[in-house]
Structures are given as C-alpha cells and as structure tokens.
Amino acid sequence: MRGGEGLPGRDRRAQAVVPRAGRERVSGDTPSVAVVGGGIAGLAAATALAERGVRVVLHERDAVLGGRVSGWPVGLPDGTSATMSRGFHAFFRQYYNLRSLLRRSDPELGMLRGLPDYPLRHSSGLRDGFRRVPRTPPFSALGFVALSPSFGLRDLPALRPAAALPLLDIRTRRVHERLDDVSAHDLLDAMGFPAAARHLAFEVFSRSFFADPRELSAAEMALMFHIYFLGSSEGLLFDVPREPFPQALWDPFADHLGRHGAEVRTSTSVEAVRPGPSGGHLVVDAAGARPYDAVVLALDTDGLRGVVGRSPHLGDAGWRERVARLRTAPPFLVTRLWLDRPVASGRPGFLGTSGYGSLDNVSVLSNWEGEAARWAARTGGSVVELHAYALPTTAVREVEEKRLVDQLHQVYPETREARVVGARHEWRADCPLFTVGGYRDRPTVRTSDPTVVVAGDLVRTDLPVALMERAATSGFLAANALLERWGVRGERLWTVPDQGRSALLRALARRFGTR
C-alpha cells in the first residue's frame, strides 16, 4: 500500500504494510505466548501481543534487555560508575518500525538527538560526508558523486555504469534471486568504482553487517544501499540516544510492558521447546517447563541454532536442517576508553574510517551522550569508543585491543598523550552472516507450525529493512502472524519504497544494465 495519511517520516513514498482486519483485542480465553529473546525483535513482538491483551512472558538469558543494543553498569578505576555496551548504533530516520516501538515509552522520541553529519575519512587523507548531499534520489547519488573528493576525472573511464544501473531497479522480492550468489566485493569490482570511493561509499556500509565484503551477499549490500541511499528520501543522517541504552531506551520500555501485563524474566535461558501434553508448547528453562499456546523465537544465530537443536519436535526436519546451517559473522571488537583529557576541538561525535587497519569507526561519546559528557565535564577528560568489525577468526584478542588503540592515535594524534583512566573491551561473535548464496537457508517469520514464529535481524521478511529495523519489523510481523489466528488486528508497519523510485531510471536499468 502506498503512503498517505499518517506517514512516519518525510518520505511521501513510504509504504504501509497493512495487517489483516480483526478485533482490537483478544476475547474469550486469553492465549499465552512465550517470547524467547529480549532484544529489539523480542521486545517488538512482546509489545504488539501484550497491548492486544495476550498473556506474554518474555524470557531473556542476560540480566538486561536490549540484546545487541543493551548496556550494563561497570566500575571505573577512579571510583565512578559508568555504562558499557556492545557499541555504537545509528538510529536512521528510515527506521520507521523501530521508532514506532520506541514511541511507546517516549511519544516524541525525546530520548534521541541528531548528529549533524555522517563523516567518513580515509587514511590517504580523503574525507567525505553526507550533510550536504541531497536526500531525495536520484539527486542523492548524483550529489554524492559531484561533491565527493573520492571521484576524480581520471576515475571516470574505469566506471562501468551498466553494472551499477541495476542498483536503480532494486525490487525487494527479487534482489536475492539476482544477486545472492555474488559477493559484495565482486559486485563492486564489476562496477569499476575507484578504490577510495569503494572504501568510503560502499565498504563502510557492507562492514556494518560485521562481514568482510568477500563473504557478504551482494544482494544484502544492494538492498542496504537502496534502503539508505537510493530508495529513501530520509537521507543518511541519523540520531543517537541522549543517554546510555538502558536509561534512554529499555528501562522505560520494561515499565511499558509491565503496564500491559507482560512478565519479563531476565537471566532466564531457555533450553528447549517441547510439545505440550494437550497441545501448545512447553518452554523449558532452569526453573522447569511452562505451557504456552504459542512461541516467538527471537534469538541470535547461535541461540536459535541451540534451542532448535535441543528441540527435536520443533518445526519440520527441513526447517531444522536449514537453521543448523546458519552462520555467524566473524568476531568484532568494541573498545571504550575514558581518557584524562579532551580530544581536539571540532572532532565529530561519530567518524567512519577506512584504511586504518582494523579500525572501522570512532565515536566521541562525550560529545553527545549525557553520562559520558557529565563524566568528561567533571574530570576534564573525554570518552572515546572504537569499533573493529569482521576481524579474522585467527585474530588474537589482546593483540587486536592494542592495535585498535594504536590506530586511534593515528586518527586523533592528540590521544597519544592521554592517560587511560579506564578501558573496557567487548569481543563478540554473535551477529548473523548473510553469506553468499545463504538467503535460501534463512528462516522466515512463519514456520510449518502456525504457533511457532521467528523474529530477528537474521530473518527473511521480503521487505526493504535491515539491521535494527529488520529486527523490529520481524518482531511485529511475528506478533501479527499469531494475532491473525485469534482474529485480532496486528500492527500497521511502514517501509521505504520496495523498488526503485523512478520509473524512467528503472526502465534504463532494465534496458542497459547487466546482471
């Protein structure tokens, strides 16, 4: 359905996904649902169900909510307390369904603030950004090429527009048919983009999937480029939380779930899902087995593989085999440093980097996050966070931690002289890998059992969504699938357009583009 009244953002071509008609709330015997996983996907599913009168129990193995957007308290050597997380997240304006979720606890989204630019920097000295780039396609792409120093006249003869034209004709339900068996690296090769432009305009995006471009499906990169650049007029600027994730997002959200009768059980790891003696399912954790009418599996890749592997009657054999083949992306490292002095004036709150070894971006949290800013004001210091995505599986953690700090010194030389008051390092390897040719194995929201649904950023939705927005969207879709069974109307969702915006450009891509 095309956009219209009630648009979620500035893009008048945003599209609505309308749920099946039904009652506002459940009636009669109240169904019960176990939501397994307390990340964004699980929270979205739990919210849509609880708000419509379903009895919801949310099981989360960690002590905190938020999944990969969680945070937890840590003590610094100077005696102060702080919050550590798994790293920076950008809340883009086209994350319509995630924003709808967050509005439950803050209707005006006052917990978010915008950063003025999305700057990129290459070790060669080239710099790019998106603040001056027009937001509406195709002027966004043309503006980027015209304004970017990474495109020079000598680079133009090497460009192969025929290979790039299909990016103007992305059709969400067909992009994986066309490009899933090609790597993002090979697609960029085929386009003939100059090396610096590849680093700054493409590989920075592909690595945000925590994957090396040689392993990432070109379909995922093309879809991502459509969502953020060529298919949406929301632009590439983004918001960040004003406070750490628990305080800004999830503590208020837990209160919202409680007001709607949902039970939140943190520090509760689900071991298996078994058939109930008289229908439904038994969800098994350390405390025993509890019966439910339906189950939402909102787990990361390892968690889903584990629960399914220990639940031989869950789904059908083919589905279980496909889940077992799912892969996890390479490890990534997040380093947060509390320094005894400020970084140089004018450093951006967030900087994407390329050509500095493993360093992918630098955030100066004390420029925009309240807790970090208050610590910096009190001590005269600064709080800096570093990311290294898609590290080799053979990487040694201690070596990479030191290397990442050395690379910070290259990007911001003034930090060489700073004393590290506190440091925290998070080494994780739990993001989904959208590998070449792997789309057909990824689970969809629905399974062969209509009372078991799946949610998360690993899920196929056939909608133009990615990363946190895919998690939120799939969670709502999972809830909608269950609500349909009980005759209840689900959540209305929104996405960016599901195909290229211009009929003329789509026609040119089909006529002159190469596969």
Side-chain angles (χ1 to χ4, degrees):
M1 174 180 172
R2 293 290 175 189
E5 186 177 353
L7 282 170
R10 71 182 293 273
D11 191 346
R12 298 188 61 80
R13 297 195 184 186
Q15 292 183 257
V17 182
V18 181
R20 185 174 297 177
R23 301 187 304 273
E24 290 298 312
R25 293 176 60 84
V26 297
S27 59
D29 292 337
T30 303
S32 61
V33 177
V35 177
V36 186
I40 290 173
L43 291 169
T47 297
L49 292 166
E51 288 176 345
R52 288 156 179 82
V54 177
R55 286 191 293 116
V56 173
V57 178
L58 177 67
H59 300 253
E60 168 52 48
R61 67 186 175 192
D62 291 334
V64 294
L65 296 176
R68 290 198 290 273
V69 195
S70 63
W72 55 93
V74 295
L76 300 182
D78 67 358
T80 60
S81 62
T83 306
M84 184 58 188
S85 74
R86 296 162 47 97
F88 176 88
H89 283 78
F91 290 69
F92 287 92
R93 280 76 187 265
Q94 49 271 74
Y95 285 1
Y96 301 134
N97 301 319
L98 175 60
R99 287 169 175 263
S100 172
L101 180 68
L102 297 179
R103 288 183 193 277
R104 265 54 177 211
S105 59
D106 185 351
E108 302 302 320
L109 295 181
M111 83 279 275
L112 300 179
R113 61 176 293 182
L115 293 187
D117 197 2
Y118 182 169
L120 308 171
R121 175 172 159 183
H122 192 270
S123 59
S124 66
L126 288 175
R127 297 170 183 261
D128 257 317
F130 293 96
R131 180 174 57 85
R132 296 185 299 143
V133 174
R135 289 191 288 183
T136 301
F139 305 108
S140 51
L142 296 173
F144 180 77
V145 172
L147 295 169
S148 173
S150 60
F151 285 89
L153 290 176
R154 67 175 181 271
D155 298 314
L156 295 179
L159 289 174
R160 291 185 283 277
L165 277 174
L167 291 179
L168 301 174
D169 184 31
I170 294 297
R171 283 167 284 177
T172 306
R173 291 171 176 79
R174 295 189 58 189
V175 64
H176 289 89
E177 296 175 12
R178 298 171 58 192
L179 292 174
D180 196 48
D181 292 322
V182 180
S183 75
H185 176 272
D186 289 345
L187 179 62
L188 295 175
D189 265 354
M191 293 179 186
F193 272 79
R198 284 181 57 161
H199 282 294
L200 291 176
F202 288 91
E203 293 193 4
V204 165
F205 288 116
S206 68
R207 290 179 65 84
S208 67
F209 280 97
F210 301 89
D212 186 294
R214 292 171 179 80
E215 288 199 84
L216 178 68
S217 163
E220 287 297 320
M221 191 193 73
L223 182 61
M224 178 181 57
F225 213 62
H226 172 79
I227 294 167
Y228 297 103
F229 201 57
L230 291 176
S232 171
S233 66
E234 302 291 353
L236 265 167
L237 302 185
F238 52 79
D239 300 322
V240 292
R242 294 179 182 274
E243 296 291 342
F245 299 137
Q247 297 92 308
L249 308 179
W250 310 130
D251 291 347
F253 205 86
D255 293 339
H256 175 79
L257 285 174
R259 288 193 295 272
H260 286 275
E263 178 186 351
V264 177
R265 305 183 70 196
T266 54
S267 302
T268 303
S269 181
V270 168
E271 294 299 315
V273 179
R274 297 173 182 164
S278 55
H281 303 276
L282 295 175
V283 173
V284 183
D285 58 28
R290 297 176 63 171
Y292 296 93
D293 295 306
V295 177
V296 179
L297 298 174
L299 297 152
D300 62 23
T301 304
D302 282 342
L304 182 64
R305 281 197 310 239
V307 169
V308 171
R310 296 186 295 269
S311 307
H313 301 288
L314 197 59
D316 57 39
W319 179 78
R320 292 195 300 274
E321 289 170 4
R322 291 191 297 275
V323 168
R325 289 197 294 267
L326 295 174
R327 292 178 57 192
T328 300
F332 66 94
L333 173 63
V334 176
T335 289
R336 188 173 295 189
L337 304 173
W338 287 261
L339 304 177
D340 72 342
R341 65 195 65 189
V343 298
S345 175
R347 297 299 192 196
F350 175 84
L351 176 70
T353 61
S354 185
Y356 292 97
S358 60
L359 181 67
D360 283 297
N361 57 61
V362 180
S363 300
V364 183
L365 271 72
S366 44
N367 281 0
W368 50 266
E369 186 197 82
E371 179 186 274
R374 291 188 292 273
W375 184 90
R378 186 173 64 251
T379 64
S382 57
V383 185
V384 178
E385 184 178 279
L386 317 173
H387 285 194
Y389 302 144
L391 291 167
T393 55
T394 56
V396 177
R397 175 172 177 168
E398 292 75 13
V399 173
E400 296 300 332
E401 289 174 0
K402 182 180 184 304
R403 184 175 292 158
L404 203 58
V405 175
D406 290 341
Q407 291 161 359
L408 167 67
H409 296 161
Q410 296 177 47
V411 178
Y412 293 163
E414 69 274 15
T415 60
R416 293 180 189 275
E417 306 303 320
R419 181 175 65 87
V420 177
V421 175
R424 289 292 185 275
H425 306 277
E426 284 295 313
W427 179 277
R428 305 280 183 135
D430 55 4
C431 296
L433 178 61
F434 304 124
T435 187
V436 177
Y439 184 73
R440 59 186 65 91
D441 277 344
R442 285 164 52 192
T444 57
V445 167
R446 298 175 188 264
T447 71
S448 59
D449 183 340
T451 63
V452 176
V453 289
V454 186
D457 60 352
L458 57 81
V459 170
R460 291 167 46 181
T461 65
D462 288 330
L463 295 172
V465 289
L467 302 172
M468 289 192 293
E469 180 69 352
R470 182 180 285 155
T473 302
S474 65
F476 282 130
L477 289 173
N480 287 1
L482 296 179
L483 292 169
E484 283 180 12
R485 291 178 48 78
W486 301 315
V488 177
R489 180 174 55 82
E491 188 84 5
R492 180 186 178 101
L493 304 178
W494 289 88
T495 74
V496 304
D498 64 359
Q499 63 177 355
R501 298 177 68 89
S502 165
L504 175 60
L505 292 177
R506 293 199 303 269
L508 289 173
R510 293 171 193 175
R511 176 67 178 85
F512 299 106
T514 58
R515 291 178 62 85

